[in-house]
Structures are given as structure tokens and as C-alpha cells.
Amino acid sequence: MLDDRKLAVLRAIVEDYVSTNEPVGSKALADRHNLGVSPATIRNDMAVLEEQGYIAQPHTSAGRVPTDKGYRLFVDRLSTIKPLSVAERRAIETFLTGAYDLDDVVGRTVRLLAQLTRQVAVVQYPSLTRSAVRHVELVPVAEGRLLLVLITNTGRVEQRVIETGQISEESIGHLRALLNTCLDGLGFGDVPAAVADLPDKVGPDERPVAAAVLSVLLETLVEKHEEKIVFAGAANLAAVDFSQSLREVLVALEEQVVLMRLLGETGDSSTVTVRIGTENPDLGLKSTSVVAADYGVGDLTLARLGVLGPTRMDYPSTMGAVRAVARYVGQILAGS
């Protein structure tokens, strides 16, 4: 365990390196920070920090840079997450409350996070597995075809075209009413049992259509939960020195499975999680850090959002932005 003085030296090294992108020396620390000790003492503390793997010497200069282990300790010992300014909070609220549907909320959120943090923002759509049915609509789109529209309580809209053969407007209306009576407010996990006897509630002529609708509903919308995720701000990576690893980072960002794994599992909605460098599961992201948080409605966690950037990241500000945006998104979904 490091004593308070060495922790203060490590904190100063991280802050200076994040700010300047230059290796930090003992004299610079003594000049810029009120550490209350001489440069010689700081050099001794830096030697201990280097020996224990918290900082490293990138080349023959006297300066040191934090390692993944050093960043990890810095984040774990953060006394406060930097709050957003009043102007930033007002801008977030104004920008997000103008959204008119879930796609717009997600699109605005991912752009906003990228702008606030100057990193790559990643937002997961509310998971169907955690959603409930708000409304089911059946719309004739052509002869022998219906459009099934399912709207969830989180504002997510799923649409599928169904081949039905000939069916009357009256039969469509009857089936629509039955579906909404059975499914309104149900979680997706409860849908199969709720619609199991639905074909028995319609006439013989309507049963083939009812069976086709149920097949699409169950197989496509219930059993094959489509997890959607979007990102923005990849251009922000151009301002960062990833040396040879930028291509690997960009390739990893193109993979939906990687992005899902990147955000991690949902957990305590009040906690912002940080994965640094080698803690990331994908080899292409070993030079990056990920800051993520859950968002949801009340006690219900719906999905996660976060940002990806270099390990040389302003962690207090980034964590504050991610936490604030997650809270605002939850409030907007609750209000919708």
C-alpha cells in the first residue's frame, strides 16, 4: 500500500501527463503542485512508484508516465467525480428533451457524449429482454401482407412484414384487439405463455393469419432479441497518438459484439465503471479506456452507455459526463 504522499505524487503525475502529454519529472511536480516536499523527496517517491509498477520511463528522459496500474489506482482513489457546470447541464437537458422518439433520443445521446468528452461515445438501445409491450399494431401494406408494429414501454419500435394471404379489415381489427388485450404491459419473457391459446380465440378462417402473426412475434421479437448499439465520435481518435494501434481500435469499433462486451454487464445503476487498457477484453483495445454507466427508468435498468478513449484520459471529467448523461436519458425515457 502507498502512503498519502506517494498517492499525491501519483495523482499529480497523472494530472500533468493527461494535461500535457509529456513525461513528468520531479522538478515539474515540485513547481506545479504544492506537495510540501523537496524535488529530491519527490524523486525518491517516484522511484518507489516505478518499482511497484505505477509509473514508467518511456525513454531516457527524466520524466515518467502512468501505467495502466497507475491509472487504475488513480481512478479507484478518486475522491470526487468532477460535476458538470450549470451551463453544461442546461445544454444537456435542452438538447435531449427535444427528442421525439427513442431513435432520436439515442442519436442525440451518442452525439452529445462524443461532444462533451471528445471521445468515442457508445450507446446501447434499451434491451428487448428488459422491455414490456405498450402496443401492437397490424397494418395492411399490400394484398396478402401485413406490417406488424410492436411498441415497447421504452419507446423502442420493432417492425416486421408478414405474408398472410387474403384477410379482411374486420379480421385484422379483431386480431389486433386480441393481441393488445393479451399483451398490454407484459414483459417480453411473459409473451409466449400469454399468446399460446390465441388461435383458439379466433374463427377457423382467421387461424392461419393468427398463426403467422404469432410465429413472427415469437421467433423474431421474443426469441431472437436484437441488441442494437450505436457509436459516434470516431474522428476524435485522430487527435490521439495511438501509434500503431489506431487501426485495431477502429476495427474493434465496427464489431457490434465487441461494443456490447465493451460496455460490460449491467449492474448498480448508481456506479460508473472504468476499464483501463489491458482490463478490456478485446486485444485491439488494450491502448484504450472505457467509462460506462447504466441508464433506465426508476429502478429498472434498460441498457448502458459510455465512452472510449485513450488511457491518457481526463477520468474525473469523463466519469462526470457519462454519469450525468445517463441520468438525463433515464429521466427522458421515464417522462415519455
Side-chain angles (χ1 to χ4, degrees), residues 101-117:
D101 62 16
L102 181 64
D103 287 333
D104 197 20
V105 170
V106 172
R108 287 172 182 245
T109 299
V110 76
R111 295 197 306 274
L112 177 67
L113 259 182
Q115 291 167 9
L116 279 175
T117 63

Side-chain angles (χ1 to χ4, degrees), residues 25 62 101 132 163 184 266 334:
D101 62 16
E163 302 287 344
D184 183 35
T266 56

Side-chain angles (χ1 to χ4, degrees), residues 78-117:
L78 271 179
S79 56
T80 58
I81 294 176
K82 185 178 178 181
L84 298 183
S85 68
V86 173
E88 287 173 324
R89 291 199 300 271
R90 188 180 298 118
I92 292 173
E93 189 171 4
T94 302
F95 188 65
L96 292 183
T97 51
Y100 55 85
D101 62 16
L102 181 64
D103 287 333
D104 197 20
V105 170
V106 172
R108 287 172 182 245
T109 299
V110 76
R111 295 197 306 274
L112 177 67
L113 259 182
Q115 291 167 9
L116 279 175
T117 63

Side-chain angles (χ1 to χ4, degrees), residues 288-328:
T288 69
S289 288
V290 178
V291 179
D294 295 341
Y295 70 87
V297 177
D299 294 331
L300 176 64
T301 295
L302 297 174
R304 286 176 72 75
L305 57 78
V307 299
L308 173 145
T311 53
R312 190 183 66 82
M313 176 189 292
D314 182 349
Y315 291 97
S317 295
T318 302
M319 293 165 71
V322 167
R323 183 177 64 180
V325 171
R327 287 176 176 173
Y328 275 110

Side-chain angles (χ1 to χ4, degrees), residues 155-306:
R156 184 163 171 174
V157 178
E158 295 291 327
Q159 303 180 47
R160 300 293 185 275
V161 174
I162 306 169
E163 302 287 344
T164 61
Q166 295 294 328
I167 183 171
S168 68
E169 288 281 355
E170 182 181 358
S171 294
I172 293 172
H174 183 217
L175 186 55
R176 180 192 300 121
L178 281 175
L179 283 170
N180 281 296
T181 299
C182 289
L183 301 181
D184 183 35
L186 277 188
F188 272 74
D190 298 324
V191 168
V195 298
D197 61 349
L198 190 65
D200 298 332
K201 297 179 180 178
V202 300
D205 294 342
E206 297 175 351
R207 283 175 189 164
V209 176
V213 170
L214 291 183
S215 175
V216 171
L217 181 72
L218 295 176
E219 292 178 14
T220 305
L221 302 183
V222 177
E223 294 176 4
K224 299 177 183 177
H225 301 295
E226 182 189 6
E227 301 297 356
K228 296 169 65 177
I229 201 162
V230 294
F231 71 92
N236 290 326
L237 296 175
V240 180
D241 180 18
F242 276 111
S243 61
Q244 300 302 311
S245 63
L246 179 57
R247 183 180 183 279
E248 285 80 2
V249 174
L250 293 173
V251 168
L253 287 173
E254 293 294 335
E255 296 292 334
Q256 291 279 307
V257 174
V258 171
L259 291 179
M260 291 294 298
R261 196 163 61 234
L262 191 68
L263 289 179
E265 297 295 323
T266 56
D268 182 354
S269 60
S270 65
T271 302
V272 177
T273 59
V274 181
R275 284 198 295 206
I276 299 168
T278 53
E279 296 170 359
N280 286 308
D282 191 274
L283 287 175
L285 300 174
K286 298 304 183 185
S287 59
T288 69
S289 288
V290 178
V291 179
D294 295 341
Y295 70 87
V297 177
D299 294 331
L300 176 64
T301 295
L302 297 174
R304 286 176 72 75
L305 57 78

